[in-house]
Amino acid sequence: IYRTRMAIDDGGELIVLAPWVETFGEDDCIDLLIRKVGYVGTPEIMKAMENDDELKSNLSAVAHLIHGSSEGRFSVTYCPGKLTKEEVESVGYKYSDLEKMKQVYNIETLKDGWNTRTDEDGSEEEFYYISNPALGLWAHPSRFEEESDTSDAAQKHGDVAISSNQEASDGSGGVGGWKKPPRKPDCTE
C-alpha cells in the first residue's frame, strides 16, 4: 500500500488483485498480529504497540501494519485468491471477488500507467495501473512512457532497465503477496 500512496488522491480507491495471497503477513506471527490489530493507521498502530508487548517485540509487524494502511486517505479494495471476505474486512479493507474484478480490469490488456475503460452504460473510467508495485512509484514518470521501439524485452530508461515481462521470484506469489511464506517461526519467542 505504501508504494502506491503517492499516486492515489484523497478519497480515491486502490484495488489490489492478489490471486496468490493466503495470508496477510510474511510469517505466521506477523499474520496473527495483523489480524489482531488491522490496518488502522499509524496513530492507532502506535497506540496498540504501546499497550501490547507482543506487538512491541515484533517491530516488523508494526512496520507492515503502517505500510499496509491508507492512513484514512483512500479506500483499499482487496481481491485475494485465497482469503475470505470476512478475513479481508476484519483487517479494515473492502473485499471484492477476484474473478469479477479480473473481468473488469483485464491485466492481459492493461499497460502500466493511465488506462481508460468503458462500462456497459457507456461511462468511462480513467485509472492508473501498476503491474508491479515492488518497482516503486518514486520512479521517474518517463519510465512509464511507451517507447517507439519495444522489440527488446527490457526497455532502457536512463540507467535503469525495466523488464516488460516481470515475474516474481520463486515463493513470493507475485504482486500482492506470498504464495507460501518463506518461513514459519515459533510465535511464542
Side-chain angles (χ1 to χ4, degrees):
I1 307 302
Y2 77 100
R3 293 178 191 253
T4 57
R5 281 187 195 150
M6 65 186 245
I8 302 172
D9 283 337
D10 290 355
E13 178 183 25
L14 173 65
I15 299 171
V16 181
L17 304 178
W20 301 108
V21 172
E22 56 189 32
T23 64
F24 293 107
E26 293 84 10
D27 63 47
D28 285 345
C29 296
I30 293 175
D31 187 66
L32 288 171
L33 289 169
I34 291 165
R35 291 168 189 267
K36 179 178 177 182
V37 177
Y39 298 105
V40 294
T42 301
E44 289 299 314
I45 293 163
M46 297 306 286
K47 190 184 302 178
M49 185 181 70
E50 288 175 20
N51 300 317
D52 186 321
D53 289 336
E54 192 175 13
L55 204 51
K56 268 186 217 173
S57 68
N58 197 330
L59 296 181
S60 59
V62 173
H64 183 109
L65 286 162
I66 291 170
H67 290 163
S69 171
S70 72
E71 300 299 338
R73 288 190 36 244
F74 53 89
S75 65
V76 177
T77 300
Y78 216 57
C79 312
K82 301 183 192 270
L83 292 171
T84 67
K85 180 179 193 285
E86 292 75 21
E87 288 174 299
V88 170
E89 291 177 349
S90 76
V91 299
Y93 290 159
K94 293 180 182 177
Y95 173 89
S96 190
D97 178 71
L98 176 63
E99 294 307 316
K100 174 184 151 202
M101 293 305 269
K102 283 170 53 177
Q103 290 175 5
V104 173
Y105 301 100
N106 182 350
I107 62 171
E108 301 300 322
T109 61
L110 297 176
K111 65 183 185 340
D112 279 309
W114 290 106
N115 291 265
T116 303
R117 70 175 199 86
T118 306
D119 284 337
E120 296 102 25
D121 66 0
S123 61
E124 287 189 343
E125 174 191 27
E126 187 176 39
F127 61 95
Y128 201 88
Y129 175 68
I130 304 163
S131 62
N132 188 347
L135 295 177
L137 288 179
W138 44 87
H140 190 274
S142 68
R143 293 183 182 150
F144 292 105
E145 295 172 3
E146 287 189 39
E147 291 184 8
S148 58
D149 179 18
T150 57
S151 58
D152 188 4
Q155 297 176 347
K156 187 75 171 163
H157 297 280
D159 60 349
V160 178
I162 300 176
S163 172
S164 60
N165 65 344
Q166 299 253 340
E167 291 188 24
S169 59
D170 288 345
S172 77
V175 176
W178 295 96
K179 242 193 253 187
K180 181 181 194 182
R183 61 186 176 92
K184 299 279 188 181
D186 177 8
C187 295
T188 59
E189 296 176 341

